Amino acid sequence: MKPKNLLLVASVTLLLLIALCLAWEAILAPLRPGGSWMTLKVLPLMLALFGILRGKRYTYQWSSMMILLYLTEGVIRTNDPAPGNALALTEAILSVIFFTAVVLYARNTAPSRLARAADRQS
């Protein structure tokens, strides 16, 4: 897949994860009635957002590790009562898609790969 397409996939899934986490913890199925402090879990996602949108390779690298926390939470919370279990499954699926996109983007934009591609074109 081309880096431009991977950037698009990573950007869309990250925005969807931010929206999902905010809606989940504030409105749809908060841990406490009226919302909870768990809405703060979107802060690391927000930190990664601008680097992901701009295609910063370093952000793709560190966010590939950070997203594993969201995958873990999604898998663990699939045992929550409805609708929390469906939201948790959605979080896990979006996390896997994001992880795959950022790892492939970081791999495909490595300086060594870019140099080889330039050599082939010459």
Side-chain angles (χ1 to χ4, degrees):
M1 222 175 188
K2 293 181 182 179
K4 190 173 186 177
N5 294 338
L6 293 168
L7 185 143
L8 180 63
V9 170
S11 299
V12 168
T13 54
L14 182 58
L15 289 168
L16 288 173
L17 267 169
I18 290 169
L20 173 73
C21 290
L22 280 175
W24 180 3
E25 299 301 344
I27 302 165
L28 300 175
L31 289 176
R32 299 182 191 280
S36 73
W37 284 91
M38 285 291 288
T39 55
L40 294 177
K41 73 182 181 183
V42 301
L43 291 179
L45 297 173
M46 296 294 288
L47 287 173
L49 181 61
F50 296 110
I52 294 295
L53 292 174
R54 291 185 181 128
K56 303 280 185 179
R57 189 167 184 274
Y58 181 72
T59 305
Y60 278 76
Q61 291 172 325
W62 68 258
S63 66
S64 70
M65 299 306 290
M66 177 218 33
I67 201 65
L68 296 177
L69 296 171
Y70 294 87
L71 173 61
T72 303
E73 181 199 25
V75 169
I76 289 172
R77 289 185 68 183
T78 54
N79 293 325
D80 285 1
N85 57 353
L87 297 169
L89 183 59
T90 304
E91 180 184 39
I93 291 168
L94 288 173
S95 297
V96 168
I97 295 169
F98 179 79
F99 177 80
T100 304
V102 297
V103 167
L104 290 174
Y105 181 89
R107 180 176 165 227
N108 290 343
T109 59
S112 60
R113 287 189 182 264
L114 295 176
R116 274 189 262 154
D119 288 342
R120 288 183 196 143
Q121 290 178 354
S122 319

